[in-house]
């Protein structure tokens, strides 16, 4: 589905990623690493918000490295940025409608999301800016899912969210992964990330320093790789 080959990327003259590769063999991949390691930059390069200076992003066998983000969305990628982003002045429902409008099954997808995330149904007419962090994260994920992606790119979906809602969001991600959706997940909760992922990569200073299979058995190896 997604394969990243030797990607170098950064911002202007600042290099951040130095030859990052992720093999295409796993459906759910966790990207781990400390703050500033380049995790978000890698996700931005994957969706096309950052253009690699070198390397290739393959999606479904197609080289999408030079494609604009919306073209990648059309091909089945969806991206949920770090920080529970939505349009704060619009209601929950309006945020969903923005994505659903123009899609033949838009109404059905909204109904599906309101069923999946009961809090969004409960606060359908509330401005998104007044939702809790967890609810805004659910809204951001719902917006992504309305586009019926084949690959969901999630940047720290549980960051800054109260523990009760963290469990709900984790359950959603597990459910989506078990339902066959491919997921590229950046997550600080290493235990959960390994549980969800088939493969993981550890990034440090823009390089992959460790990679392996998901599962709790990898916890020790990941902790060792991240102690520096
Ligand atoms: N928009 C930006 N412009 C310039 N530098 C940035 C930008 N975003 C991130 N960086 C820098 O790139 C490096 C990696 O950041 P980031 O990809 O956000 O790491 P992580 O998500 O792992 O915390 C950091 O040194 C950060 O300061
Ligand atoms: Mg980040």
């Amino acid at each position: 589905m997604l394969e990243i080959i030797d990607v170098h990327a950064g911002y202007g003259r600042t290099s951040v990623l130095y030859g990052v590769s992720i093999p295409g063999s796993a459906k759910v991949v966790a990207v781990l690493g400390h703050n500033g390691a380049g995790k978000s930059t890698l996700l931005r390069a994957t969706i096309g918000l950052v253009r690699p200076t070198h390397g290739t992003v393959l999606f479904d066998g197609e080289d999408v490295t030079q494609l604009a983000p919306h073209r990648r969305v059309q091909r089945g990628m969806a991206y949920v940025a770090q920080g529970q982003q939505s349009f704060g002045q619009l209601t929950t429902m309006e945020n969903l409608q923005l994505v659903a409008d123009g899609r033949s099954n838009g109404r059905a997808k909204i109904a599906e999301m309101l069923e999946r995330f009961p809090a969004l149904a409960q606060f359908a007419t509330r401005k998104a800016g007044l939702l809790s962090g967890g609810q805004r994260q659910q809204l951001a994920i719902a917006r992504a899912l309305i586009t019926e992606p084949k690959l969901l790119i999630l940047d720290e979906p549980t960051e800054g969210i109260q523990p009760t809602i963290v469990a709900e969001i984790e359950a959603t991600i597990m459910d989506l992964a078990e339902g066959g959706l491919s997921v590229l997940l950046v997550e600080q909760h290493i235990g959960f990330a390994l549980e969800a992922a088939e493969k993981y990569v550890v990034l440090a200073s823009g390089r992959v320093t460790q990679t392996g299979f998901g599962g709790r058995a990898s916890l020790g190896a990941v902790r060792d790789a991240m102690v520096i």
Side-chain angles (χ1 to χ4, degrees):
M1 173 72 52
L2 176 72
E3 185 172 1
I4 292 172
I5 305 162
D6 195 26
V7 161
H8 294 244
Y11 304 91
R13 283 195 217 151
T14 311
S15 294
V16 174
L17 302 178
Y18 302 88
V20 173
S21 297
I22 294 182
S25 51
K27 286 206 96 171
V28 181
V29 176
V31 180
L32 309 171
H34 293 299
N35 275 341
K39 304 181 298 297
S40 294
T41 304
L42 177 62
L43 298 198
R44 289 185 202 120
T46 304
I47 192 66
L49 294 169
V50 165
R51 204 60 61 87
T53 53
H54 180 90
T56 307
V57 179
L58 285 177
F59 185 60
D60 259 352
E62 182 189 7
D63 183 346
V64 298
T65 319
Q66 301 303 327
L67 288 186
H70 70 281
R71 297 278 178 215
R72 301 188 202 203
V73 172
Q74 285 169 353
R75 281 160 176 76
M77 287 188 185
Y79 167 66
V80 180
Q82 202 168 351
Q84 301 113 40
Q85 295 184 17
S86 56
F87 296 96
Q89 291 302 318
L90 300 183
T91 66
T92 299
M93 188 56 101
E94 288 165 344
N95 268 280
L96 296 173
Q97 279 164 343
L98 266 186
V99 189
D101 273 2
R103 302 187 70 87
S104 56
N105 61 350
R107 289 165 75 101
K109 292 306 292 181
I110 288 180
E112 195 185 313
M113 291 308 128
L114 296 180
E115 198 172 321
R116 182 183 277 282
F117 302 108
L120 299 186
Q122 190 183 347
F123 298 119
T125 58
R126 184 171 290 190
K127 285 190 175 174
L130 299 177
L131 297 175
S132 73
Q135 290 157 356
R136 264 183 290 129
Q137 189 65 54
Q138 290 177 331
L139 178 56
I141 293 172
R143 286 161 48 92
L145 292 177
I146 285 175
T147 67
E148 298 181 284
K150 294 185 259 184
L151 169 70
L152 183 61
I153 302 169
L154 295 171
D155 198 347
E156 303 210 19
T158 66
E159 185 194 27
I161 288 171
Q162 61 272 41
T164 49
I165 312 291
V166 166
E168 267 181 45
I169 287 172
E170 288 180 352
T172 299
I173 296 167
M174 292 301 283
D175 183 54
L176 293 169
E178 279 159 17
L181 184 65
S182 291
V183 182
L184 182 62
L185 172 70
V186 167
E187 178 58 68
Q188 293 291 348
H189 296 105
I190 299 169
F192 165 67
L194 289 176
E195 197 180 314
E198 284 162 60
K199 288 216 172 135
Y200 72 85
V201 298
V202 176
L203 275 190
S205 303
R207 292 180 171 85
V208 175
T209 54
Q210 166 120 10
T211 172
F213 291 104
R216 294 255 166 195
S218 296
L219 205 52
V222 170
R223 291 233 164 96
D224 288 346
M226 286 181 65
V227 175
I228 293 168

mmCIF file with all atom_site columns, all heavy atoms in Angstrom, residues 71-90:
data_model
loop_
_atom_site.group_PDB
_atom_site.id
_atom_site.type_symbol
_atom_site.label_atom_id
_atom_site.label_alt_id
_atom_site.label_comp_id
_atom_site.label_asym_id
_atom_site.label_entity_id
_atom_site.label_seq_id
_atom_site.pdbx_PDB_ins_code
_atom_site.Cartn_x
_atom_site.Cartn_y
_atom_site.Cartn_z
_atom_site.occupancy
_atom_site.B_iso_or_equiv
_atom_site.pdbx_formal_charge
_atom_site.auth_seq_id
_atom_site.auth_comp_id
_atom_site.auth_asym_id
_atom_site.auth_atom_id
_atom_site.pdbx_PDB_model_num
ATOM 1   N N   . ARG A 1 71 ? -4.472  15.499 -4.501  1.00 0.00 ? 71 ARG A N   1
ATOM 2   C CA  . ARG A 1 71 ? -4.402  14.368 -5.443  1.00 0.00 ? 71 ARG A CA  1
ATOM 3   C C   . ARG A 1 71 ? -4.167  13.063 -4.686  1.00 0.00 ? 71 ARG A C   1
ATOM 4   O O   . ARG A 1 71 ? -4.674  12.006 -5.055  1.00 0.00 ? 71 ARG A O   1
ATOM 5   C CB  . ARG A 1 71 ? -3.259  14.569 -6.441  1.00 0.00 ? 71 ARG A CB  1
ATOM 6   C CG  . ARG A 1 71 ? -3.429  15.778 -7.324  1.00 0.00 ? 71 ARG A CG  1
ATOM 7   C CD  . ARG A 1 71 ? -4.341  15.450 -8.489  1.00 0.00 ? 71 ARG A CD  1
ATOM 8   N NE  . ARG A 1 71 ? -4.543  16.636 -9.306  1.00 0.00 ? 71 ARG A NE  1
ATOM 9   C CZ  . ARG A 1 71 ? -5.677  16.937 -9.922  1.00 0.00 ? 71 ARG A CZ  1
ATOM 10  N NH1 . ARG A 1 71 ? -6.713  16.130 -9.806  1.00 0.00 ? 71 ARG A NH1 1
ATOM 11  N NH2 . ARG A 1 71 ? -5.782  18.026 -10.640 1.00 0.00 ? 71 ARG A NH2 1
ATOM 12  N N   . ARG A 1 72 ? -3.385  13.147 -3.623  1.00 0.00 ? 72 ARG A N   1
ATOM 13  C CA  . ARG A 1 72 ? -3.123  11.938 -2.823  1.00 0.00 ? 72 ARG A CA  1
ATOM 14  C C   . ARG A 1 72 ? -4.400  11.535 -2.084  1.00 0.00 ? 72 ARG A C   1
ATOM 15  O O   . ARG A 1 72 ? -4.685  10.352 -1.926  1.00 0.00 ? 72 ARG A O   1
ATOM 16  C CB  . ARG A 1 72 ? -1.969  12.179 -1.847  1.00 0.00 ? 72 ARG A CB  1
ATOM 17  C CG  . ARG A 1 72 ? -0.698  12.564 -2.583  1.00 0.00 ? 72 ARG A CG  1
ATOM 18  C CD  . ARG A 1 72 ? 0.507   12.624 -1.680  1.00 0.00 ? 72 ARG A CD  1
ATOM 19  N NE  . ARG A 1 72 ? 1.525   13.487 -2.297  1.00 0.00 ? 72 ARG A NE  1
ATOM 20  C CZ  . ARG A 1 72 ? 2.822   13.442 -2.034  1.00 0.00 ? 72 ARG A CZ  1
ATOM 21  N NH1 . ARG A 1 72 ? 3.280   12.583 -1.141  1.00 0.00 ? 72 ARG A NH1 1
ATOM 22  N NH2 . ARG A 1 72 ? 3.665   14.243 -2.643  1.00 0.00 ? 72 ARG A NH2 1
ATOM 23  N N   . VAL A 1 73 ? -5.162  12.547 -1.628  1.00 0.00 ? 73 VAL A N   1
ATOM 24  C CA  . VAL A 1 73 ? -6.439  12.246 -0.970  1.00 0.00 ? 73 VAL A CA  1
ATOM 25  C C   . VAL A 1 73 ? -7.366  11.540 -1.967  1.00 0.00 ? 73 VAL A C   1
ATOM 26  O O   . VAL A 1 73 ? -8.021  10.554 -1.629  1.00 0.00 ? 73 VAL A O   1
ATOM 27  C CB  . VAL A 1 73 ? -7.083  13.536 -0.409  1.00 0.00 ? 73 VAL A CB  1
ATOM 28  C CG1 . VAL A 1 73 ? -8.500  13.270 0.091   1.00 0.00 ? 73 VAL A CG1 1
ATOM 29  C CG2 . VAL A 1 73 ? -6.217  14.105 0.720   1.00 0.00 ? 73 VAL A CG2 1
ATOM 30  N N   . GLN A 1 74 ? -7.386  12.036 -3.209  1.00 0.00 ? 74 GLN A N   1
ATOM 31  C CA  . GLN A 1 74 ? -8.221  11.393 -4.236  1.00 0.00 ? 74 GLN A CA  1
ATOM 32  C C   . GLN A 1 74 ? -7.833  9.935  -4.443  1.00 0.00 ? 74 GLN A C   1
ATOM 33  O O   . GLN A 1 74 ? -8.664  9.095  -4.762  1.00 0.00 ? 74 GLN A O   1
ATOM 34  C CB  . GLN A 1 74 ? -8.092  12.138 -5.569  1.00 0.00 ? 74 GLN A CB  1
ATOM 35  C CG  . GLN A 1 74 ? -8.842  13.453 -5.603  1.00 0.00 ? 74 GLN A CG  1
ATOM 36  C CD  . GLN A 1 74 ? -8.469  14.291 -6.820  1.00 0.00 ? 74 GLN A CD  1
ATOM 37  O OE1 . GLN A 1 74 ? -7.551  13.966 -7.588  1.00 0.00 ? 74 GLN A OE1 1
ATOM 38  N NE2 . GLN A 1 74 ? -9.176  15.407 -6.991  1.00 0.00 ? 74 GLN A NE2 1
ATOM 39  N N   . ARG A 1 75 ? -6.564  9.635  -4.262  1.00 0.00 ? 75 ARG A N   1
ATOM 40  C CA  . ARG A 1 75 ? -6.094  8.259  -4.468  1.00 0.00 ? 75 ARG A CA  1
ATOM 41  C C   . ARG A 1 75 ? -6.311  7.386  -3.236  1.00 0.00 ? 75 ARG A C   1
ATOM 42  O O   . ARG A 1 75 ? -6.008  6.201  -3.255  1.00 0.00 ? 75 ARG A O   1
ATOM 43  C CB  . ARG A 1 75 ? -4.626  8.268  -4.877  1.00 0.00 ? 75 ARG A CB  1
ATOM 44  C CG  . ARG A 1 75 ? -4.448  8.605  -6.352  1.00 0.00 ? 75 ARG A CG  1
ATOM 45  C CD  . ARG A 1 75 ? -3.050  9.091  -6.629  1.00 0.00 ? 75 ARG A CD  1
ATOM 46  N NE  . ARG A 1 75 ? -2.840  9.327  -8.042  1.00 0.00 ? 75 ARG A NE  1
ATOM 47  C CZ  . ARG A 1 75 ? -3.303  10.368 -8.726  1.00 0.00 ? 75 ARG A CZ  1
ATOM 48  N NH1 . ARG A 1 75 ? -4.065  11.261 -8.133  1.00 0.00 ? 75 ARG A NH1 1
ATOM 49  N NH2 . ARG A 1 75 ? -3.038  10.518 -10.006 1.00 0.00 ? 75 ARG A NH2 1
ATOM 50  N N   . GLY A 1 76 ? -6.753  8.015  -2.128  1.00 0.00 ? 76 GLY A N   1
ATOM 51  C CA  . GLY A 1 76 ? -7.107  7.183  -0.981  1.00 0.00 ? 76 GLY A CA  1
ATOM 52  C C   . GLY A 1 76 ? -6.271  7.389  0.269   1.00 0.00 ? 76 GLY A C   1
ATOM 53  O O   . GLY A 1 76 ? -6.282  6.559  1.168   1.00 0.00 ? 76 GLY A O   1
ATOM 54  N N   . MET A 1 77 ? -5.538  8.508  0.312   1.00 0.00 ? 77 MET A N   1
ATOM 55  C CA  . MET A 1 77 ? -4.823  8.821  1.555   1.00 0.00 ? 77 MET A CA  1
ATOM 56  C C   . MET A 1 77 ? -5.655  9.822  2.355   1.00 0.00 ? 77 MET A C   1
ATOM 57  O O   . MET A 1 77 ? -6.281  10.709 1.775   1.00 0.00 ? 77 MET A O   1
ATOM 58  C CB  . MET A 1 77 ? -3.488  9.509  1.267   1.00 0.00 ? 77 MET A CB  1
ATOM 59  C CG  . MET A 1 77 ? -2.412  8.638  0.707   1.00 0.00 ? 77 MET A CG  1
ATOM 60  S SD  . MET A 1 77 ? -0.889  9.643  0.702   1.00 0.00 ? 77 MET A SD  1
ATOM 61  C CE  . MET A 1 77 ? 0.218   8.530  -0.132  1.00 0.00 ? 77 MET A CE  1
ATOM 62  N N   . ALA A 1 78 ? -5.643  9.707  3.671   1.00 0.00 ? 78 ALA A N   1
ATOM 63  C CA  . ALA A 1 78 ? -6.243  10.734 4.518   1.00 0.00 ? 78 ALA A CA  1
ATOM 64  C C   . ALA A 1 78 ? -5.260  11.041 5.635   1.00 0.00 ? 78 ALA A C   1
ATOM 65  O O   . ALA A 1 78 ? -4.555  10.149 6.115   1.00 0.00 ? 78 ALA A O   1
ATOM 66  C CB  . ALA A 1 78 ? -7.565  10.262 5.092   1.00 0.00 ? 78 ALA A CB  1
ATOM 67  N N   . TYR A 1 79 ? -5.240  12.305 6.033   1.00 0.00 ? 79 TYR A N   1
ATOM 68  C CA  . TYR A 1 79 ? -4.226  12.770 6.979   1.00 0.00 ? 79 TYR A CA  1
ATOM 69  C C   . TYR A 1 79 ? -4.894  13.531 8.109   1.00 0.00 ? 79 TYR A C   1
ATOM 70  O O   . TYR A 1 79 ? -5.698  14.432 7.871   1.00 0.00 ? 79 TYR A O   1
ATOM 71  C CB  . TYR A 1 79 ? -3.257  13.679 6.218   1.00 0.00 ? 79 TYR A CB  1
ATOM 72  C CG  . TYR A 1 79 ? -2.309  14.509 7.044   1.00 0.00 ? 79 TYR A CG  1
ATOM 73  C CD1 . TYR A 1 79 ? -1.320  13.908 7.820   1.00 0.00 ? 79 TYR A CD1 1
ATOM 74  C CD2 . TYR A 1 79 ? -2.378  15.896 7.012   1.00 0.00 ? 79 TYR A CD2 1
ATOM 75  C CE1 . TYR A 1 79 ? -0.421  14.684 8.552   1.00 0.00 ? 79 TYR A CE1 1
ATOM 76  C CE2 . TYR A 1 79 ? -1.478  16.686 7.730   1.00 0.00 ? 79 TYR A CE2 1
ATOM 77  C CZ  . TYR A 1 79 ? -0.509  16.065 8.497   1.00 0.00 ? 79 TYR A CZ  1
ATOM 78  O OH  . TYR A 1 79 ? 0.380   16.832 9.222   1.00 0.00 ? 79 TYR A OH  1
ATOM 79  N N   . VAL A 1 80 ? -4.594  13.134 9.323   1.00 0.00 ? 80 VAL A N   1
ATOM 80  C CA  . VAL A 1 80 ? -5.080  13.862 10.500  1.00 0.00 ? 80 VAL A CA  1
ATOM 81  C C   . VAL A 1 80 ? -3.863  14.469 11.187  1.00 0.00 ? 80 VAL A C   1
ATOM 82  O O   . VAL A 1 80 ? -3.039  13.758 11.760  1.00 0.00 ? 80 VAL A O   1
ATOM 83  C CB  . VAL A 1 80 ? -5.850  12.934 11.462  1.00 0.00 ? 80 VAL A CB  1
ATOM 84  C CG1 . VAL A 1 80 ? -6.333  13.713 12.680  1.00 0.00 ? 80 VAL A CG1 1
ATOM 85  C CG2 . VAL A 1 80 ? -7.032  12.290 10.748  1.00 0.00 ? 80 VAL A CG2 1
ATOM 86  N N   . ALA A 1 81 ? -3.753  15.790 11.098  1.00 0.00 ? 81 ALA A N   1
ATOM 87  C CA  . ALA A 1 81 ? -2.579  16.480 11.623  1.00 0.00 ? 81 ALA A CA  1
ATOM 88  C C   . ALA A 1 81 ? -2.538  16.429 13.138  1.00 0.00 ? 81 ALA A C   1
ATOM 89  O O   . ALA A 1 81 ? -3.542  16.154 13.799  1.00 0.00 ? 81 ALA A O   1
ATOM 90  C CB  . ALA A 1 81 ? -2.576  17.935 11.145  1.00 0.00 ? 81 ALA A CB  1
ATOM 91  N N   . GLN A 1 82 ? -1.366  16.717 13.675  1.00 0.00 ? 82 GLN A N   1
ATOM 92  C CA  . GLN A 1 82 ? -1.189  16.793 15.119  1.00 0.00 ? 82 GLN A CA  1
ATOM 93  C C   . GLN A 1 82 ? -2.019  17.972 15.645  1.00 0.00 ? 82 GLN A C   1
ATOM 94  O O   . GLN A 1 82 ? -2.101  19.016 15.014  1.00 0.00 ? 82 GLN A O   1
ATOM 95  C CB  . GLN A 1 82 ? 0.302   17.040 15.396  1.00 0.00 ? 82 GLN A CB  1
ATOM 96  C CG  . GLN A 1 82 ? 0.765   16.656 16.759  1.00 0.00 ? 82 GLN A CG  1
ATOM 97  C CD  . GLN A 1 82 ? 2.298   16.640 16.865  1.00 0.00 ? 82 GLN A CD  1
ATOM 98  O OE1 . GLN A 1 82 ? 2.999   16.761 15.864  1.00 0.00 ? 82 GLN A OE1 1
ATOM 99  N NE2 . GLN A 1 82 ? 2.795   16.493 18.070  1.00 0.00 ? 82 GLN A NE2 1
ATOM 100 N N   . GLY A 1 83 ? -2.681  17.800 16.792  1.00 0.00 ? 83 GLY A N   1
ATOM 101 C CA  . GLY A 1 83 ? -3.309  18.942 17.435  1.00 0.00 ? 83 GLY A CA  1
ATOM 102 C C   . GLY A 1 83 ? -4.795  19.142 17.196  1.00 0.00 ? 83 GLY A C   1
ATOM 103 O O   . GLY A 1 83 ? -5.309  20.248 17.305  1.00 0.00 ? 83 GLY A O   1
ATOM 104 N N   . GLN A 1 84 ? -5.505  18.068 16.874  1.00 0.00 ? 84 GLN A N   1
ATOM 105 C CA  . GLN A 1 84 ? -6.984  18.115 16.824  1.00 0.00 ? 84 GLN A CA  1
ATOM 106 C C   . GLN A 1 84 ? -7.528  19.282 16.022  1.00 0.00 ? 84 GLN A C   1
ATOM 107 O O   . GLN A 1 84 ? -8.334  20.072 16.508  1.00 0.00 ? 84 GLN A O   1
ATOM 108 C CB  . GLN A 1 84 ? -7.552  18.169 18.255  1.00 0.00 ? 84 GLN A CB  1
ATOM 109 C CG  . GLN A 1 84 ? -7.172  17.001 19.121  1.00 0.00 ? 84 GLN A CG  1
ATOM 110 C CD  . GLN A 1 84 ? -6.253  17.399 20.264  1.00 0.00 ? 84 GLN A CD  1
ATOM 111 O OE1 . GLN A 1 84 ? -6.439  18.435 20.874  1.00 0.00 ? 84 GLN A OE1 1
ATOM 112 N NE2 . GLN A 1 84 ? -5.262  16.587 20.562  1.00 0.00 ? 84 GLN A NE2 1
ATOM 113 N N   . GLN A 1 85 ? -7.076  19.379 14.785  1.00 0.00 ? 85 GLN A N   1
ATOM 114 C CA  . GLN A 1 85 ? -7.474  20.545 14.000  1.00 0.00 ? 85 GLN A CA  1
ATOM 115 C C   . GLN A 1 85 ? -8.840  20.391 13.341  1.00 0.00 ? 85 GLN A C   1
ATOM 116 O O   . GLN A 1 85 ? -9.154  19.349 12.780  1.00 0.00 ? 85 GLN A O   1
ATOM 117 C CB  . GLN A 1 85 ? -6.408  20.824 12.935  1.00 0.00 ? 85 GLN A CB  1
ATOM 118 C CG  . GLN A 1 85 ? -5.098  21.214 13.590  1.00 0.00 ? 85 GLN A CG  1
ATOM 119 C CD  . GLN A 1 85 ? -4.041  21.591 12.590  1.00 0.00 ? 85 GLN A CD  1
ATOM 120 O OE1 . GLN A 1 85 ? -4.345  21.868 11.442  1.00 0.00 ? 85 GLN A OE1 1
ATOM 121 N NE2 . GLN A 1 85 ? -2.802  21.585 13.034  1.00 0.00 ? 85 GLN A NE2 1
ATOM 122 N N   . SER A 1 86 ? -9.624  21.464 13.474  1.00 0.00 ? 86 SER A N   1
ATOM 123 C CA  . SER A 1 86 ? -10.889 21.542 12.744  1.00 0.00 ? 86 SER A CA  1
ATOM 124 C C   . SER A 1 86 ? -11.229 23.023 12.659  1.00 0.00 ? 86 SER A C   1
ATOM 125 O O   . SER A 1 86 ? -10.474 23.867 13.136  1.00 0.00 ? 86 SER A O   1
ATOM 126 C CB  . SER A 1 86 ? -11.994 20.771 13.479  1.00 0.00 ? 86 SER A CB  1
ATOM 127 O OG  . SER A 1 86 ? -12.115 21.263 14.790  1.00 0.00 ? 86 SER A OG  1
ATOM 128 N N   . PHE A 1 87 ? -12.363 23.334 12.032  1.00 0.00 ? 87 PHE A N   1
ATOM 129 C CA  . PHE A 1 87 ? -12.756 24.742 11.922  1.00 0.00 ? 87 PHE A CA  1
ATOM 130 C C   . PHE A 1 87 ? -13.551 25.112 13.169  1.00 0.00 ? 87 PHE A C   1
ATOM 131 O O   . PHE A 1 87 ? -14.718 24.747 13.319  1.00 0.00 ? 87 PHE A O   1
ATOM 132 C CB  . PHE A 1 87 ? -13.567 24.960 10.647  1.00 0.00 ? 87 PHE A CB  1
ATOM 133 C CG  . PHE A 1 87 ? -12.755 24.703 9.405   1.00 0.00 ? 87 PHE A CG  1
ATOM 134 C CD1 . PHE A 1 87 ? -12.803 23.484 8.762   1.00 0.00 ? 87 PHE A CD1 1
ATOM 135 C CD2 . PHE A 1 87 ? -11.898 25.687 8.914   1.00 0.00 ? 87 PHE A CD2 1
ATOM 136 C CE1 . PHE A 1 87 ? -12.038 23.230 7.630   1.00 0.00 ? 87 PHE A CE1 1
ATOM 137 C CE2 . PHE A 1 87 ? -11.124 25.454 7.787   1.00 0.00 ? 87 PHE A CE2 1
ATOM 138 C CZ  . PHE A 1 87 ? -11.193 24.222 7.147   1.00 0.00 ? 87 PHE A CZ  1
ATOM 139 N N   . GLY A 1 88 ? -12.904 25.851 14.070  1.00 0.00 ? 88 GLY A N   1
ATOM 140 C CA  . GLY A 1 88 ? -13.471 26.118 15.380  1.00 0.00 ? 88 GLY A CA  1
ATOM 141 C C   . GLY A 1 88 ? -14.751 26.912 15.367  1.00 0.00 ? 88 GLY A C   1
ATOM 142 O O   . GLY A 1 88 ? -15.599 26.744 16.244  1.00 0.00 ? 88 GLY A O   1
ATOM 143 N N   . GLN A 1 89 ? -14.920 27.769 14.375  1.00 0.00 ? 89 GLN A N   1
ATOM 144 C CA  . GLN A 1 89 ? -16.117 28.607 14.310  1.00 0.00 ? 89 GLN A CA  1
ATOM 145 C C   . GLN A 1 89 ? -17.295 27.878 13.671  1.00 0.00 ? 89 GLN A C   1
ATOM 146 O O   . GLN A 1 89 ? -18.420 28.359 13.708  1.00 0.00 ? 89 GLN A O   1
ATOM 147 C CB  . GLN A 1 89 ? -15.833 29.905 13.526  1.00 0.00 ? 89 GLN A CB  1
ATOM 148 C CG  . GLN A 1 89 ? -14.888 30.862 14.253  1.00 0.00 ? 89 GLN A CG  1
ATOM 149 C CD  . GLN A 1 89 ? -15.407 31.273 15.621  1.00 0.00 ? 89 GLN A CD  1
ATOM 150 O OE1 . GLN A 1 89 ? -16.585 31.552 15.794  1.00 0.00 ? 89 GLN A OE1 1
ATOM 151 N NE2 . GLN A 1 89 ? -14.527 31.270 16.613  1.00 0.00 ? 89 GLN A NE2 1
ATOM 152 N N   . LEU A 1 90 ? -17.034 26.736 13.065  1.00 0.00 ? 90 LEU A N   1
ATOM 153 C CA  . LEU A 1 90 ? -18.114 25.948 12.468  1.00 0.00 ? 90 LEU A CA  1
ATOM 154 C C   . LEU A 1 90 ? -18.567 24.885 13.463  1.00 0.00 ? 90 LEU A C   1
ATOM 155 O O   . LEU A 1 90 ? -17.791 24.458 14.320  1.00 0.00 ? 90 LEU A O   1
ATOM 156 C CB  . LEU A 1 90 ? -17.646 25.267 11.183  1.00 0.00 ? 90 LEU A CB  1
ATOM 157 C CG  . LEU A 1 90 ? -17.152 26.176 10.058  1.00 0.00 ? 90 LEU A CG  1
ATOM 158 C CD1 . LEU A 1 90 ? -16.792 25.346 8.827   1.00 0.00 ? 90 LEU A CD1 1
ATOM 159 C CD2 . LEU A 1 90 ? -18.197 27.230 9.700   1.00 0.00 ? 90 LEU A CD2 1
#
